[in-house]
Amino acid sequence: MTRVLIVEDNRDLAYGLRNNLEIEGYDVDVAGDGAEGLGRAKATRPDLVVLDLMLPKMDGFRVLRALRDDGLTMPVLVLTARGEESDKVRGLKLGADDYLTKPFGLLELLARVEALLRRAGPRAAAETIGELEIDRSTRSVMRSGSAVELAPKEYDLLIALADRNGAVVSRLELMRQVWGYSDAVITRTIDTHVAELRRKLERDPAQPRHILTVRKVGYRLKR
Amino acid sequence: MTRVLIVEDNRDLAYGLRNNLEIEGYDVDVAGDGAEGLGRAKATRPDLVVLDLMLPKMDGFRVLRALRDDGLTMPVLVLTARGEESDKVRGLKLGADDYLTKPFGLLELLARVEALLRRAGPRAAAETIGELEIDRSTRSVMRSGSAVELAPKEYDLLIALADRNGAVVSRLELMRQVWGYSDAVITRTIDTHVAELRRKLERDPAQPRHILTVRKVGYRLKR
DNA sequence: ACGCTCCTGACACGTTCCTGACATTTCGCT
DNA sequence: AGCGAAATGTCAGGAACGTGTCAGGAGCGT
């Protein structure tokens, strides 16, 4: 499923956008300020970012620059207040892909999101990680050619790891992304699910080659 | 350039559509009532017509019939108000190619326009999904050669799944596309209709081979 | 009035998920 | 090198959840 991150401090607007994007079938994440937006973008690597320029903590320009400096290349659709031409110029230099001036029509936003994603190229039908194949359009996973049945949580967990491109994902991040909690981790929930994933995906679950433990931090998915 | 004619009396909607179709690269013409629409269609012979049913001067049905009587065979996408089931049947008999129930998502309209134009080449070709055959021009479905009678909702549901080319369609998307609601799903409506579809389309409804459940998300139509 | 379609809520069933207890491994420290 | 504490692996039971199924009833067109 295509994932969109909205970075917008106006709660009503953010909520409205999320609703409508979700109806269109996107998987939507929302951040309420610039710092949080940058963090979530780096963590979850969405397919597209809708970025307001006026933001608390860290304004849109800095977020955009930080994103690009981090090597993230997903399209960014910038929301700008009316008539701030100079913003456009400045933003374009920093690597925004499209602009929308407030107030804007919802249909226009949806059309632009769609256009940007199309221009960015259709997402690969199936990504390959070692001997694993993940097809997000059907939420199905194969190991060296044969289908593997994953429970919803297991699939979500795998995706959370796969999205990080081999980097470590902390327990806290997993809790937030997969479980939607923000609490610290005290139970064995994550470990249990990792174990189950290993049982299903690894040749030798005792000697995992893909889902690796990073002690005191979390897990990572080696490609 | 591909030319699209919009026949719609609601100016806001018409302009919104025109804007977005133009962004997509179409050459768009707009007519504000039925008589004007018929005239422009005959004069300019667009590649596709988007036709509202409720129109001043001459309603959509009469426009459609007049078009077909005149030997014009371009695909026609009909816009119909919610819950006017009989309109669908009536329109289909007159030669419409696809339906969209208001309120509809813009992306859905764009997708259907593209789909219709793509199909316009090999015209009236029935699509084949496994042992199923769907003929949209007659809203009829066959399973391994013999006709299957589907209720309107069942057919719409099948189409919504078929349009996604094997990918998962979430419950929310189904609610929106087939039922025109945008609310969260709490009742068993979707499941019941899926069950009925399976009963009619699957050899063994208990072990569906085409209409698959994707737990916690929705359903998908395997080809 | 009849039949068809559609929606709804109740129930059944299997799956999934979480939790806490216990086992094992890892690593810092002496 | 050995010890102990902390972190992780493993397991099983029960609760919670999601879906399949059904029957009843409302709505609509014939």
Side-chain angles (χ1 to χ4, degrees), chain B residues 82-128:
Chain B
R82 178 162 149 211
E84 317 227 327
E85 218 51 35
S86 63
D87 281 3
K88 289 205 181 186
V89 180
R90 216 175 131 201
L92 281 163
K93 284 192 185 144
L94 289 172
D97 298 87
D98 202 351
Y99 276 82
L100 219 43
T101 303
K102 297 182 186 178
F104 52 82
L106 183 65
L107 294 185
E108 198 186 352
L109 179 120
L110 294 176
R112 297 207 182 201
V113 164
E114 276 176 43
L116 282 177
L117 288 169
R118 210 175 321 119
R119 272 209 300 279
R123 194 140 168 73
E127 47 189 304
T128 305

Side-chain angles (χ1 to χ4, degrees), chain B residues 171 188 191-192 198-199 213-217 219:
Chain B
R171 289 188 138 72
R188 321 309 332 286
D191 309 69
T192 305
R198 281 178 174 155
R199 216 167 295 142
T213 302
V214 179
R215 212 151 202 276
K216 271 217 86 178
V217 182
Y219 297 92

Side-chain angles (χ1 to χ4, degrees), chain B residues 86-180:
Chain B
S86 63
D87 281 3
K88 289 205 181 186
V89 180
R90 216 175 131 201
L92 281 163
K93 284 192 185 144
L94 289 172
D97 298 87
D98 202 351
Y99 276 82
L100 219 43
T101 303
K102 297 182 186 178
F104 52 82
L106 183 65
L107 294 185
E108 198 186 352
L109 179 120
L110 294 176
R112 297 207 182 201
V113 164
E114 276 176 43
L116 282 177
L117 288 169
R118 210 175 321 119
R119 272 209 300 279
R123 194 140 168 73
E127 47 189 304
T128 305
I129 296 163
E131 57 194 2
L132 303 179
E133 261 182 68
I134 305 176
D135 183 346
R136 300 195 191 219
S137 70
T138 59
R139 281 176 77 91
S140 64
V141 178
M142 316 245 294
R143 191 188 74 189
S144 40
S146 53
V148 180
E149 293 301 323
L150 296 186
K153 269 285 179 311
E154 291 159 16
Y155 178 83
D156 291 344
L157 174 57
L158 178 63
I159 291 301
L161 293 171
D163 276 344
R164 297 296 279 276
N165 213 248
V168 192
V169 189
S170 73
R171 289 188 138 72
L172 190 61
E173 289 173 274
L174 288 174
M175 257 297 151
R176 170 76 187 203
Q177 286 184 31
V178 179
W179 279 266

Side-chain angles (χ1 to χ4, degrees), chain A residues 195-220:
Chain A
E196 189 59 27
L197 259 190
R198 283 176 173 154
R199 212 168 298 141
K200 292 184 177 179
L201 298 179
E202 300 276 5
R203 281 189 194 287
D204 179 3
Q207 311 250 319
R209 300 165 58 92
H210 290 114
I211 304 169
L212 307 182
T213 303
V214 179
R215 206 142 205 281
K216 291 209 68 168
V217 184
Y219 297 92
R220 70 193 193 89

